[in-house]
Amino acid sequence: MNNGKFGIYGGQFIPETLMSAIIELEAAYNHFKCDENFKRELRSLLCEYAGRPSLLYYAKNASEKLGGAKIYLKREDLNHTGSHKINNVLGQTLLAKKMGKKRIIAETGAGQHGVAAATAAAMLGMECEIFMGEEDTKRQALNVFRMKLLGAKVNAVQSGTKTLKDAVNEAFRQWASRVDDTFYVLGSVMGPHPYPVIVRDFQSVIGNEIKEQILKKEGKLPSAVLACVGGGSNAMGSFYAFLEDKDVKLIGCEAAGKGVDTTETAASITTGRTGIFHGMKSYFCQTENGQIAPVYSISAGLDYPGIGPEHAWLNDEKRAQYVPVTDAQAVEAFVFLSKTEGIIPAIESAHAVYHAMQIAPKMKKEETIAVCLSGRGDKDVEMIAKYMGENINE
Amino acid sequence: MNKISEIFKNKKCLITYLTAGDPNIEKTAEYIIAMSKSGADLIEIGIPFSDPTAEGEVIQNAMKRALKNDVSIDDIFAAVSKVKKEIAAPLAFMTYLNPVFNYGYANFFKKCRETGVCAVIVPDMPYEERGEIKDFAARNEIAIITLIAPTSKERIKTLAANAQGFIYLVSSLGVTGVRNEITTDIGGIIDEIKKVSNIPVAVGFGISTPQQAKEMTKYADGVIVGSAIVKIIARHGVNASQKLSEYVSSLKKAID
């Protein structure tokens, strides 16, 4: 990687107003990532506050039921705030504080990143403002209240499709107007350089732990590492430690929505093509005329028209593979995991679980699969009930 | 390229903006002509984009209206090539990078030259990413306009020294849109620029009244007015010609 590029992908496609801030961020990050005090403080926050290391759980019931490879679940759902988002948020908010910023802003889709950001801000004594598409504030009303409870201001974004991409647009606009005192805590491995690198580094704790834990349990590396991808932060965090281990298959599970042959999908690698948006060159779902396409997924967290630039590069290099998983398939996995293991996964993570259910039976018993269970599913229960035609509010 | 520096000779310049396809592409052509005849020295034509991250609500909504009309880059080139025969003012495109990347850089800049567009303003392409389009623009003698912001500080020297045509000085933090007050030290930034280059500087973002325009040209070589014009088009739709002419004339008079 050089100049913030992964092959042809990445870059810094942002307005001039933000360039100084991005350059300042890169310098600060390069300084603090090697700073022993910073590393110690972050380590302590991750272990004492967020609950790391997270478990690597052998899903025995599921594995035996499916037959074939042993399935391990990386339990990011057990982290404080219920998802992997806290790893990145603690890193960036601590960095913001070290840089002397008083205020953080963040975008959110499902609300996981927003809740994590509001949490970190509350704990580290920062002002916090969250941008969330109006559509998503309705889908995830509980998370909106959680953020408010944590002391954050929540802006329901009315522009465009009123979902995650519009929340990112609005966060960029807001950042441009208060760039002096505000730090933008970006939630995924996307946006302009250095964000894809920063977020990947802060999330790489996931893959590092998987590697250590599975070696301890199995004495060898997994045959495959699976994770869901929207922007792709839990996937990048899971994959990064294994990039050089060429025998480990890396598989990202994209949200296919109602199917990749419909327009109601968010599978940017399967259905998109190269473009430039949100600060980066990468794969985007777009129209014939280069307008960013409205995307759809049952999962608000994967409902994003692009994917991080490092994923785009890993795809082209064929180091990682990206597969589409539909709403119906994700719901099937959501129910399966709940019933067989007593673990209710986030609907995002259920996309990865579904693919594990497909490949495990075709693999040998000696093989293992590590699936990143990026978040817990409490937030999705009401929506899944509705999807299944049950009204739980009666 | 030469054409742009000419308009700044011996006078303060008025640059006006509208979004192509709002309210429709035929009216865009008509309004460009009306603004040119009322004294606009350069006209900036916005290519609509679904997600204009540097724009305030006024231009966001104009782009939304334009996209509802399904206006394509080819429609815009066709309209431009028609009006070009009737007006003297040079034309520039304001566009986000993705629609142009998608259209194909080579083809886009070739068509710019063929239809008489002499510059591009790309809000999501900072100096560092110019490599994307530099060769294609140079080959067709299309200027890439450099934006300088209140936050540019140490960057001003490099940006100004490598600028083409004119410098677009962003008056305020944030996005495009009408502002009551501009608090940035415009004079100070322009002094910095003029230390390294004698390229003309035009100020944009937030300028709407003739008084503001006049105030800005105390320091700057020109002013850029966008959202205020788009607002007139939003209000009067297909009947905005007369209002636009009056407004542009009033700005022109103020800076003359």
Side-chain angles (χ1 to χ4, degrees), chain A residues 277-351:
Chain A
F277 181 50
H278 280 165
M280 59 184 174
K281 188 181 270 188
S282 191
Y283 280 88
F284 293 98
C285 299
Q286 47 189 314
T287 68
E288 195 192 327
N289 291 326
Q291 307 297 339
I292 302 304
V295 288
Y296 163 82
S297 162
I298 190 171
S299 142
L302 304 182
D303 197 356
Y304 181 70
I307 187 166
E310 195 165 6
H311 285 297
W313 178 70
L314 289 174
N315 176 69
D316 286 12
E317 294 288 303
K318 303 204 179 336
R319 177 61 195 96
Q321 181 196 352
Y322 296 84
V323 298
V325 175
T326 64
D327 285 0
Q329 293 168 335
V331 170
E332 184 188 328
F334 183 94
V335 174
F336 173 80
L337 199 69
S338 302
K339 290 204 166 131
T340 54
E341 294 292 346
I343 296 171
I344 302 176
I347 188 67
E348 287 78 16
S349 323
H351 286 72

Side-chain angles (χ1 to χ4, degrees), chain A residues 354-373:
Chain A
Y354 178 80
H355 193 64
M357 289 162 64
Q358 302 312 297
I359 63 171
K362 297 175 195 148
M363 292 165 69
K364 295 191 200 97
K365 286 208 183 311
E366 310 81 71
E367 291 187 280
T368 59
I369 302 174
V371 182
C372 184
L373 208 70

Side-chain angles (χ1 to χ4, degrees), chain A residues 12 16 20 165 173 273 291, chain B residues 50-52 102 129 151-152:
Chain A
Q12 299 182 305
E16 171 60 24
S20 290
K165 105 181 143 75
R173 289 183 184 121
R273 59 180 191 279
Q291 307 297 339
Chain B
S50 53
D51 296 82
N102 178 76
E129 298 291 357
T151 48
S152 297

Side-chain angles (χ1 to χ4, degrees), chain A residues 122-137:
Chain A
M123 214 272 285
L124 292 165
M126 311 273 277
E127 207 182 301
C128 178
E129 204 165 325
I130 303 293
F131 295 84
M132 187 169 185
E134 197 193 25
E135 200 55 46
D136 293 336
T137 61

Side-chain angles (χ1 to χ4, degrees), chain A residues 99-347:
Chain A
M99 288 171 72
K101 306 284 179 184
K102 304 266 178 276
R103 176 171 178 268
I104 62 166
I105 56 170
E107 84 292 345
T108 197
Q112 300 296 85
H113 176 58
V115 167
T119 300
M123 214 272 285
L124 292 165
M126 311 273 277
E127 207 182 301
C128 178
E129 204 165 325
I130 303 293
F131 295 84
M132 187 169 185
E134 197 193 25
E135 200 55 46
D136 293 336
T137 61
K138 285 183 204 153
R139 284 199 276 193
Q140 299 289 349
L142 193 64
N143 271 341
V144 174
F145 188 69
R146 280 168 87 193
M147 291 183 267
K148 286 182 182 163
L149 206 57
L150 291 157
K153 187 177 161 202
V154 181
N155 286 296
V157 175
Q158 313 272 350
S159 59
T161 52
K162 301 174 187 171
T163 60
L164 180 53
K165 105 181 143 75
D166 310 285
V168 177
N169 289 347
E170 222 42 55
F172 272 119
R173 289 183 184 121
Q174 167 71 205
W175 194 27
S177 72
R178 277 189 72 172
V179 70
D180 288 340
D181 70 341
T182 299
F183 185 108
Y184 180 13
V185 177
L186 229 160
S188 194
V189 286
M190 47 153 290
H193 176 72
Y195 280 109
V197 173
I198 293 181
V199 179
R200 177 251 279 155
D201 288 354
F202 286 142
Q203 291 294 2
S204 62
V205 64
I206 304 174
N208 292 338
E209 285 177 10
I210 294 178
K211 202 171 198 176
E212 201 186 313
Q213 290 164 322
I214 204 148
L215 282 175
K216 207 177 255 175
K217 286 175 198 272
E218 294 284 335
K220 61 174 187 195
L221 295 177
S223 298
V225 177
L226 272 60
C228 64
V229 254
S233 71
N234 89 85
M236 211 51 241
S238 301
F239 294 172
Y240 195 57
F242 297 98
L243 285 189
E244 301 304 319
D245 304 309
K246 306 286 182 200
D247 293 336
V248 180
K249 275 195 197 131
L250 306 174
I251 306 172
C253 305
E254 298 195 287
K258 295 192 175 159
V260 290
D261 48 354
T262 73
T263 53
E264 290 178 272
T265 178
S268 30
I269 286 201
T270 311
T271 69
R273 59 180 191 279
T274 308
I276 299 167
F277 181 50
H278 280 165
M280 59 184 174
K281 188 181 270 188
S282 191
Y283 280 88
F284 293 98
C285 299
Q286 47 189 314
T287 68
E288 195 192 327
N289 291 326
Q291 307 297 339
I292 302 304
V295 288
Y296 163 82
S297 162
I298 190 171
S299 142
L302 304 182
D303 197 356
Y304 181 70
I307 187 166
E310 195 165 6
H311 285 297
W313 178 70
L314 289 174
N315 176 69
D316 286 12
E317 294 288 303
K318 303 204 179 336
R319 177 61 195 96
Q321 181 196 352
Y322 296 84
V323 298
V325 175
T326 64
D327 285 0
Q329 293 168 335
V331 170
E332 184 188 328
F334 183 94
V335 174
F336 173 80
L337 199 69
S338 302
K339 290 204 166 131
T340 54
E341 294 292 346
I343 296 171
I344 302 176
I347 188 67

Side-chain angles (χ1 to χ4, degrees), chain A residues 3 5 8 10-20 23 158-160 165-166 168-170 172-174 176-180 273-279 281 284 286-293, chain B residues 47-56 60 64 67 70-73 97-99 101-103 105 123-129 132 147-155 159 170 172-175 205:
Chain A
N3 277 338
K5 299 268 161 90
I8 63 162
Q12 299 182 305
F13 297 93
I14 50 168
E16 171 60 24
T17 304
L18 294 173
M19 276 309 288
S20 290
I23 292 167
Q158 313 272 350
S159 59
K165 105 181 143 75
D166 310 285
V168 177
N169 289 347
E170 222 42 55
F172 272 119
R173 289 183 184 121
Q174 167 71 205
S177 72
R178 277 189 72 172
V179 70
D180 288 340
R273 59 180 191 279
T274 308
I276 299 167
F277 181 50
H278 280 165
K281 188 181 270 188
F284 293 98
Q286 47 189 314
T287 68
E288 195 192 327
N289 291 326
Q291 307 297 339
I292 302 304
Chain B
I47 296 178
F49 182 49
S50 53
D51 296 82
T53 48
E55 313 301 334
Q60 282 178 43
K64 212 195 254 174
L67 289 175
D70 263 334
V71 61
S72 70
I73 292 184
L97 209 43
N98 200 55
F101 174 78
N102 178 76
Y103 190 85
Y105 294 143
D124 61 348
M125 187 190 70
Y127 179 74
E128 282 77 353
E129 298 291 357
E132 277 290 314
L147 289 102
I148 288 183
T151 48
S152 297
K153 294 175 187 148
E154 310 83 75
R155 297 167 53 76
L159 298 183
V170 175
S172 314
L173 293 178
V175 293
F205 273 45

Side-chain angles (χ1 to χ4, degrees), chain A residues 19-55:
Chain A
M19 276 309 288
S20 290
I22 278 286
I23 292 167
E24 182 197 359
L25 172 64
E26 187 177 10
Y29 178 64
N30 286 338
H31 170 77
F32 284 108
K33 76 174 181 194
C34 308
D35 180 90
E36 288 307 320
N37 281 332
F38 181 84
K39 288 200 287 195
R40 196 165 41 237
E41 271 179 73
L42 180 57
R43 191 73 223 151
S44 148
L45 283 171
L46 289 173
C47 296
E48 307 296 324
Y49 185 67
R52 301 215 72 85
S54 69
L55 300 174

